[in-house]
Amino acid sequence: MYVVLTRSSNGFGALRLDDAGTAVSPVEPIDEAELPAWVGRVERERPRWVWDDTTRWYPALLAAGVRVERCVDLRLSHQLLRGSTLTAASALANAPRGPWDTATPMAEKPQTHGALFDFDDEPAADAPTDPLAEFLLQRDAAATSAQPGRIGLLLAAESAGALIACEMKFAGLPWHVDVHERLLAGLLGDRPRGAERPAKLELLLERMRTALGTADVNPDSPAELLKALRRSGLQVASTRSWELKEISHPVIEPLLEYKKLSRLQTANGWNWLDTWIADGRFRPDYVPGGTATGRWGASGGGALQLPKQIRGAVIADPGWKLVVADAAQLEPRILTALSADRAMAEAGRGDLYEGIVASGAVKTRAEAKVAMLGAMYGATAGDGGRLMPALTRAFPRAIAVVEAAARVGERGEIVTTRLGRSSPPPGEAWRELQEEASVQGASEALQRAARGQSRSWGRFTRNFIVQGTAAEWALCWMAGLRGRLWDLRGGQFANRPHLVFFLHDEVIVHTPADLADQVVEQLNAAAAEAGRLIFGEMPVRFPITTAVVDDYGQAK
């Protein structure tokens, strides 16, 4: 059963549909104040809720103590179906652009407060107005696609991700302000006043001035820093850390340390604490499908970039544990499964990189890692380019997959992940340059520029199929884990094990301590299940590394 939730000037309504998408009763009007309780009652029937945007509906339900198992997020699903090569012939894909193409997630809009459900008083210009019509269009697009099973799984996983993102914000990542402040004091010194630099940054600045023999040094301005370095006779093209590390001079060590600590102060210093931590929790807005490949983004707070220096402030509640888990060597294993390369699957029975060494393709584990990164990101020079021929001979099917994807991109065409997310086409400027360079008599410089541009887009599509499919695997992993965690214990959401953090191939579960071992079991079981869902019975392992800790800093 599906239940479509709608909002109009007359209030809220719900329409029940059978599995074929046919209405089985008239629209049921629902008072806003009664909606959470009504949803809670209907949830016992295990429907799939259909709504325009999970971030519009679900936070208020969670706040009222209502957790839903399944949904269809029409905004996210529309984006997938609109761009997928699997649904290119559908009415939805070929319709003129409309409100669903410009809808903005609520996480990225200025928030208002007052109503239980956070809608504008009047429908916004980009707000979809007919979720039922859109839902039926989406069902038709998926059912008539080239791979209904795959695109259906992707839509379900993407919508589950939207639920998880809301739940992670609602639960929050447990954060101890006092511990964070102690960590900052140890690294930077006491909290400065106003615009002053922390004490340790001032000490590093004094060392830089002494090393350069001048007081005219501003390390916070790349342009001014570059001038100061050049005035002192250092031939540097930029102030990037990797370039500075190549220089032997007394100023380099304090300068690199200054840059590292300055980044910490800016990204996760005292101002970050004041802004983002409330009631002992960090609650960022996660943005599922925030990138072209399907990887998540975050709206504010730097949720996807928590540096190691402050992870010790992420501490489990009393009587609870953090289970930190990451999928080992995920993208190379995804490539193995995509290509059905039996030799690489055999190499990955244990540590994949050690297996590549054992195959004779490379001599060391470090070389194996560099070679695989080169294959997935298109290295043509350096160690990655040097190792590619041997890797190709050892694992021809795997390398053929990414090489084929690169050629497609170089032609300006589209590639598609395992479940059906397609890459965006290159922009108009890209096509114009290619056309200009193909005209008879075009200059050699123009042709070189076009070839470089073409290869660059080929590197994007080469990586897209691997990174995008890895994002699909991670969604299926989390979706399966979410259900498994819910079944471990009864009671309210906050009393059960629950996800509190996600970063590409790593998750953190906050769990009662007595359930930690069971959470580890479910993490591994969900990973194996995700592999079977996407790739069938391919002999490719997706091992999970787990750590049961009191604070995040202990995990690695």
Side-chain angles (χ1 to χ4, degrees):
M1 178 180 72
Y2 297 91
V3 180
V4 183
L5 291 182
T6 63
R7 181 182 184 271
S8 68
S9 57
N10 297 323
F12 292 95
L15 180 64
R16 296 176 185 243
L17 309 176
D18 60 21
D19 289 343
T22 303
V24 296
S25 62
V27 174
E28 181 177 353
I30 308 167
D31 182 79
E32 178 178 353
E34 297 299 320
L35 184 57
W38 185 90
V39 169
R41 289 193 299 272
V42 177
E43 176 64 20
R44 298 170 194 157
E45 303 173 42
R46 301 192 65 219
R48 195 179 293 275
W49 300 95
V50 179
W51 47 43
D52 56 356
D53 184 343
T54 302
T55 60
R56 287 179 179 271
W57 298 87
Y58 198 32
L61 295 175
L62 285 169
V66 178
R67 182 256 194 193
V68 305
E69 181 181 357
R70 303 182 299 175
C71 81
V72 175
D73 187 303
L74 294 173
R75 179 184 60 83
L76 290 173
S77 298
H78 181 90
Q79 294 171 0
L80 290 170
L81 294 167
R82 185 75 152 163
S84 177
T85 58
L86 301 185
T87 54
S90 68
L92 184 150
N94 290 283
R97 286 180 58 82
W100 289 100
D101 297 295
T102 56
T104 303
M106 289 297 290
E108 298 180 8
K109 292 184 178 182
Q111 298 297 294
T112 59
H113 301 280
L116 177 63
F117 289 85
D118 209 1
F119 292 88
D120 299 328
D121 290 336
E122 297 295 332
D126 65 352
T129 57
D130 193 346
L132 176 59
E134 174 65 21
F135 175 58
L136 295 178
L137 268 177
Q138 291 188 11
R139 280 176 59 88
D140 176 72
T144 59
S145 73
Q147 294 282 347
R150 290 184 182 178
I151 197 74
L153 177 57
L154 177 57
L155 296 175
E158 191 86 337
S159 292
L163 294 174
I164 292 167
C166 289
E167 289 172 358
M168 290 201 303
K169 180 179 180 179
F170 173 74
L173 188 63
W175 205 285
H176 282 230
V177 171
D178 58 335
V179 174
H180 191 140
E181 289 181 331
R182 285 202 301 272
L183 292 170
L184 290 177
L187 292 164
L188 297 168
D190 292 337
R191 183 171 187 158
R193 297 178 180 179
E196 294 177 354
R197 289 187 179 91
K200 292 200 175 180
L201 291 185
E202 281 290 351
L203 289 173
L204 290 167
L205 178 56
E206 284 302 316
R207 288 177 58 192
M208 284 185 273
R209 288 169 174 164
T210 299
L212 294 176
T214 177
D216 189 15
V217 181
N218 181 7
D220 299 318
S221 168
E224 293 181 27
L225 175 61
L226 191 62
K227 290 178 183 178
L229 294 174
R230 288 174 174 172
R231 281 197 303 267
S232 298
L234 296 178
Q235 299 303 311
V236 290
S238 75
T239 60
R240 296 186 181 95
S241 294
W242 65 266
E243 183 175 346
L244 294 174
K245 289 177 182 178
E246 301 296 321
I247 298 172
S248 177
H249 189 278
V251 76
I252 299 302
E253 187 269 329
L255 174 54
L256 291 175
E257 183 67 11
Y258 184 100
K259 286 166 70 70
K260 181 177 72 174
L261 293 180
S262 179
R263 282 195 300 270
L264 174 64
Q265 182 200 10
T266 301
N268 298 99
W270 294 276
N271 184 61
W272 183 90
L273 268 177
D274 295 341
T275 304
W276 287 102
I277 306 301
D279 303 321
R281 290 294 190 269
F282 175 38
R283 293 185 170 89
D285 286 306
Y286 294 96
V287 184
T291 67
T293 61
R295 279 190 166 190
W296 284 22
S299 180
L304 304 184
Q305 296 176 341
L306 298 181
K308 292 181 179 179
Q309 300 106 306
I310 60 165
R311 291 180 182 178
V314 181
I315 301 174
D317 291 342
W320 288 60
K321 293 285 186 180
L322 300 175
V323 182
V324 182
D326 66 84
Q329 304 154 350
L330 178 58
E331 290 190 357
R333 292 177 185 276
I334 289 293
L335 175 57
T336 304
L338 278 173
S339 61
D341 192 310
R342 299 280 173 170
M344 188 170 281
E346 180 63 27
R349 289 173 63 86
D351 182 290
L352 176 60
Y353 298 133
E354 293 290 354
I356 293 174
V357 173
S359 75
V362 297
K363 294 180 180 179
T364 67
R365 189 179 187 280
E367 284 189 340
K369 189 170 184 178
V370 168
M372 285 303 302
L373 287 173
M376 293 184 293
Y377 288 86
T380 57
D383 288 340
R386 175 178 61 82
L387 296 168
M388 275 296 293
L391 195 69
T392 302
R393 288 191 296 271
F395 309 108
R397 295 189 65 169
I399 304 306
V401 166
V402 286
E403 289 292 337
R407 302 294 87 76
V408 170
E410 289 169 2
R411 296 193 299 268
E413 299 172 3
I414 292 171
V415 296
T416 298
T417 61
R418 174 74 173 186
L419 294 185
R421 189 187 302 270
S422 293
S423 61
E428 190 60 33
W430 188 96
R431 297 194 179 279
E432 287 178 357
L433 177 58
Q434 297 299 315
E435 290 174 3
E436 291 173 9
S438 66
V439 174
Q440 187 174 3
S443 69
E444 179 59 30
L446 191 62
Q447 293 178 39
R448 279 198 306 271
R451 287 195 297 270
Q453 183 190 60
S454 176
R455 286 193 295 269
S456 177
W457 198 258
R459 286 192 292 272
F460 167 69
T461 52
R462 170 195 292 268
N463 182 247
F464 183 95
I465 58 168
V466 178
Q467 190 179 110
T469 303
E472 293 166 354
W473 182 93
L475 278 176
C476 290
W477 179 37
M478 286 201 300
L481 176 63
R482 174 178 180 260
R484 291 169 179 271
L485 294 178
W486 185 255
D487 292 338
L488 287 181
R489 172 165 291 172
Q492 292 296 310
F493 176 88
N495 297 324
R496 301 177 187 239
H498 51 268
L499 284 156
V500 290
F501 183 72
F502 167 55
L503 176 60
H504 306 323
D505 57 4
E506 179 178 327
V507 299
I508 300 178
V509 176
H510 195 212
T511 178
D514 62 306
L515 295 179
D517 290 343
Q518 294 182 56
V519 169
V520 170
E521 292 176 6
Q522 298 308 322
L523 278 158
N524 283 284
E529 180 183 44
R532 288 192 297 271
L533 278 172
I534 298 177
F535 300 110
E537 296 301 325
M538 273 290 297
V540 179
R541 296 180 62 248
F542 293 96
I544 303 300
T545 301
T546 58
V548 179
V549 296
D550 293 312
D551 74 70
Y552 189 17
Q554 298 171 345
K556 293 181 180 180

